Amino acid sequence: MSSTVVSLIQALASGLLVGGVYGLFSIGFSLAFGVMRIVNFAHGELVMLGMYAAYSVYLLTGADPLLAIPIVGIFLTVVGAGLYLVVYERFVGKATLQQLLVAIAISMVIQIILQMIYGPETRGVQSVLGSQYLIYGPFFFSYGQIAAFIVAVICVGVLELLLQKTRWGKLIRAVADDPEAAEIVGANSRAINTVAFAVSCCLAGIAGCVLIIYYPVNPGTGMALMPIALIATVIGGLGSIKGAFLGGIICAIVQQLTSTFWSPALQDVPLYVLLLVFLAFFPFGLLGRKTAH
Amino acid sequence: MTLLTVESLKVGYGDLIAVRDVSFTVKPGEIFVLLGANGSGKTTTLRAISGLIRPIAGRIAMEGEALGAIKPHAVARLGISHVPEGRRIFPNLSVDDNLTVSYLPTRTDKSLRAILDEVYGLFPRLRERHKQMAGTMSGGEQQMLAIGRALMNCPKLLMLDEPSLGLSPVMTDLVFERLEAISNQGLTILLVEQNASAIDLATSGVILSNGVVSMAGDRAALSSTQYIQKAYLGV
Ligand SMILES: Nc1ncnc2c1ncn2[C@@H]1O[C@H](COP(=O)(O)OP(=O)(O)OP(=O)(O)O)[C@@H](O)[C@H]1O
Ligand SMILES: [Mg+2]
């Protein structure tokens, strides 16, 4: 195999693995948008909160971040429900600018609190998985990334199943289609929105747990992650869960190819080009629905 | 004995008063029609009953109990079903899912399966298309689905806002015929229409003009052409 082909395959495979995690935090963002039309620019900060939470569990108990998923998931679910009822609910149906400003304010609050607790340094965990590699011929993959990818695929699968098959999932989709119509058939849209937003934050928390395995965290991490969720969601189609997951994988593959064949420093440049192209020519993305209200 | 009482209802949007002073009562088992020209306040009245808009003044009571400031989902759980203007089915849900999300187990002993069978029995076309995405159905099919959905909570009162709008005369006849069948099973119906042929179904009703009741009476009174002209032409 020529070295170019090896590099290409390595980049595609690494992109797929990393992309699973991008997809995982993008689906949470997409869910909040799809159901409540909330553009939650604080989603990156919520992923970061999940990373710090998993880091704290690791500090206190030495537990691997993967084992912290249940507790961090519950913690972020509670945070999400609280944030929705106290803050976001007031901004459902309001202008995007208002939502944007509120989300930025929330981002800042989360950032400042975390900075006060943990300081500005970058922090990581010594995960058994993160430091070991699966080596196969000329290819190598971090076990941490493989584990993260598996968790991401499970989460997307479970979420899709819940949304398609369960009563609550169907109610969430009904509210996404038409909140007023859902109310007049007896659905408590406030409760349903709270659940949907809490699930969105829970997914952010789980994404934080798997990210911290191989990606150290500092108070700027949330801001660095947010554009990826946004671009993945636009590529996949606003409000589409499967689309956001696919968009996350595309983003990561594009980044890996750019950094392999061009320059790691420029890995985000094509992402913004993609964002502009999709916004201008394919506003419904790959899997978006044109019937959204 | 009255099922629904609306007393001196006043509803507005900002400075605009859409419903000025509307009173009527609906008795159990009847088909009560609310007629009126465009903009006379029919939709606004139904939305106020459903809790989708807060009245400025007036009283709405179900079986003697004032509804007060309750949320629309609580109104639905009391057994008032609303087939809204423009149908408002859930376009990205299948026909089956549109119906199942509207089933309220607290309102009935019947199983979901049993009520689904009743609705599908009433509208066999829906059963044929039960897996189809609701947004891709024809206007008439969507209207059947909107009515079917409203029946899923075993209502005491079924309110419909211009179900004939946009339907062919044949489809309109079919929908009206189904409403009669539903009514014959004992369900009370509050029907908003511009289509004057709705009067043929009615036991009684009112005509709204510019947010007030201009006529009230039984079917015979409503069918008198002079009343209809007055309502629609404003003379
Ligand atoms: N959301 C709204 N904001 C402002 N004004 C409204 C709104 N909805 C209705 N109106 C106004 O209230 C008045 C009554 O409207 P409503 O929809 O109740 O009439 P309607 O009798 O249902 O008419 P139609 O037969 O055309 O459906 C109209 O003048 C209308 O312009
Ligand atoms: Mg109307």
Side-chain angles (χ1 to χ4, degrees), chain B residues 43 85 161-162:
Chain B
T43 296
E85 191 172 55
D161 197 340
E162 297 201 48

Side-chain angles (χ1 to χ4, degrees), chain A residues 167 177-178 180 183 186, chain B residues 47 73 77 88 92 97 103:
Chain A
R167 178 170 171 81
D177 267 358
D178 190 333
E180 210 174 81
E183 276 278 337
Chain B
R47 290 175 62 81
H73 67 261
R77 290 173 192 187
R88 306 281 290 269
N92 295 307
D97 286 350
Y103 170 65

Side-chain angles (χ1 to χ4, degrees), chain A residues 96-264:
Chain A
T96 311
L97 180 65
Q98 265 173 301
Q99 294 184 1
L100 182 66
L101 294 174
V102 170
I104 290 175
I106 292 188
S107 303
M108 289 304 163
V109 171
I110 295 176
Q111 247 181 67
I112 290 166
I113 293 174
L114 291 174
Q115 173 129 6
M116 284 189 333
I117 300 175
Y118 298 95
E121 304 84 28
T122 296
R123 293 166 183 273
V125 304
Q126 295 294 318
S127 163
V128 192
L129 292 170
S131 51
Q132 290 190 17
Y133 288 83
L134 171 73
I135 296 169
Y136 183 80
F139 307 111
F140 59 94
F141 306 103
S142 137
Y143 276 111
Q145 289 182 354
I146 294 171
F149 180 78
I150 292 170
V151 169
V153 170
I154 291 172
C155 286
V156 177
V158 168
L159 180 65
E160 269 295 309
L161 208 65
L162 291 176
L163 285 176
Q164 298 301 328
K165 299 288 179 216
T166 67
R167 178 170 171 81
W168 271 89
K170 290 173 187 179
L171 285 168
I172 287 175
R173 288 189 293 133
V175 170
D177 267 358
D178 190 333
E180 210 174 81
E183 276 278 337
I184 59 173
V185 298
N188 182 345
S189 59
R190 181 177 203 228
I192 291 161
N193 281 341
T194 308
V195 168
F197 197 80
V199 169
S200 154
C201 293
C202 175
L203 290 165
I206 297 173
C209 291
V210 296
L211 259 179
I212 193 77
I213 296 174
Y214 63 92
Y215 192 91
V217 63
N218 67 51
T221 303
M223 283 290 185
L225 293 174
M226 194 55 236
I228 289 173
L230 184 65
I231 297 168
T233 305
V234 170
I235 291 176
L238 287 173
S240 162
I241 302 298
K242 280 179 268 185
F245 190 66
L246 186 63
I249 289 176
I250 292 173
C251 283
I253 289 178
V254 167
Q255 276 186 338
Q256 294 289 329
L257 289 175
T258 314
S259 77
T260 305
F261 294 104
W262 194 7
S263 153

Side-chain angles (χ1 to χ4, degrees), chain B residues 36-44 46-47 85-86 161-162 165 192 194:
Chain B
N38 289 117
S40 55
K42 307 181 296 295
T43 296
T44 306
L46 287 200
R47 290 175 62 81
E85 191 172 55
D161 197 340
E162 297 201 48
L165 193 74
V192 162
Q194 283 202 59

